Amino acid sequence: DAKTTQPNSMESNEEEPVHLPCNHSTISGTDYIHWYRQLPSQGPEYVIHGLTSNVNNRMASLAIAEDRKSSTLILHRATLRDAAVYYCIRPGGGADGLTFGKGTHLIIQP
Amino acid sequence: DTGVSQNPRHKITKRGQNVTFRCDPISEHNRLYWYRQTLGQGPEFLTYFQNEAQLEKSRLLSDRFSAERPKGSFSTLEIQRTEQGDSAMYLCASSLGTGYSPLHFGNGTRLTVT
């Protein structure tokens, strides 16, 4: 079972950084960590993925713990458009058929 | 890149009827995935195709569910003899399928079974 654990919800203020945690204590050495987000009434959207070292792209940064049992998605300056459900995912289906949990509902206050 | 397209966006049907949903992936993507999402839950993986070959279908929810991708382009998901419990959002995603390539999702078909 490809399990990750995330808080059900988090709240942050606009223009402040947001740190979304994820625990994946049973992850194997070759499993990537993937993050997707889902805005209301839309399909999920890819955010970032990584294996061991920290990763950055135009949307976010991903900080992976040295033991790989946890990771943190960092939104450097949240906007109202970042309000969404954020999913931290390990591989679980066939050939990258990712298994989603319930995710973290991120609320951004103006 | 016109994105993944799903039709219809909404479908209301009566219990016992058959329904079919269509997914048009991004044109150069050779992998196509189907997911189901119920209220308050994350998407649940159902099946996937590599070109026209269905490589994983053990997660299809019952034998009433079937999917096809006849020419390796668009795909259809059919639910026979619908039940109220089939009411959900059905999502399609596609990916390049080389190395790790992200999944690109459509906006889904919302099915309501009355």
Side-chain angles (χ1 to χ4, degrees), chain B residues 28-48:
Chain B
E28 64 268 26
H29 285 185
N30 54 40
R31 285 197 184 151
L32 187 147
Y33 305 79
W34 285 99
Y35 284 80
R36 183 180 81 156
Q37 186 172 27
T38 53
L39 200 61
Q41 304 294 318
E44 177 184 12
F45 171 76
L46 296 179
T47 187
Y48 94 102

Side-chain angles (χ1 to χ4, degrees), chain A residues 61-106:
Chain A
S61 295
L62 177 59
I64 301 173
E66 203 168 320
D67 63 6
R68 298 204 343 111
K69 294 185 177 181
S70 64
S71 60
T72 302
L73 181 72
I74 302 165
L75 306 180
H76 294 285
R77 199 158 170 256
T79 70
L80 295 177
R81 288 175 294 178
D82 292 322
V85 178
Y86 286 78
Y87 298 100
C88 166
I89 304 158
R90 291 169 45 189
D96 302 322
L98 301 172
T99 300
F100 290 72
K102 291 188 178 182
T104 295
H105 184 199
L106 177 63

Side-chain angles (χ1 to χ4, degrees), chain A:
Chain A
D1 187 26
K3 272 270 191 219
T4 61
T5 305
Q6 299 178 254
N8 288 335
S9 65
M10 290 184 66
E11 200 166 310
S12 183
N13 295 319
E14 199 176 8
E15 298 188 5
E16 289 186 357
V18 179
H19 292 236
L20 295 164
C22 178
N23 285 320
H24 30 81
S25 58
T26 59
I27 194 169
S28 75
T30 57
D31 284 348
Y32 279 79
I33 299 299
H34 311 256
W35 283 82
Y36 283 71
R37 72 179 185 181
Q38 189 170 20
L39 279 64
S41 301
Q42 294 188 22
E45 171 189 32
Y46 168 78
V47 177
I48 201 166
H49 76 284
L51 184 63
T52 54
S53 55
N54 296 344
V55 185
N56 301 292
N57 67 19
R58 64 174 180 80
M59 289 181 72
S61 295
L62 177 59
I64 301 173
E66 203 168 320
D67 63 6
R68 298 204 343 111
K69 294 185 177 181
S70 64
S71 60
T72 302
L73 181 72
I74 302 165
L75 306 180
H76 294 285
R77 199 158 170 256
T79 70
L80 295 177
R81 288 175 294 178
D82 292 322
V85 178
Y86 286 78
Y87 298 100
C88 166
I89 304 158
R90 291 169 45 189
D96 302 322
L98 301 172
T99 300
F100 290 72
K102 291 188 178 182
T104 295
H105 184 199
L106 177 63
I107 299 163
I108 304 294
Q109 297 289 356

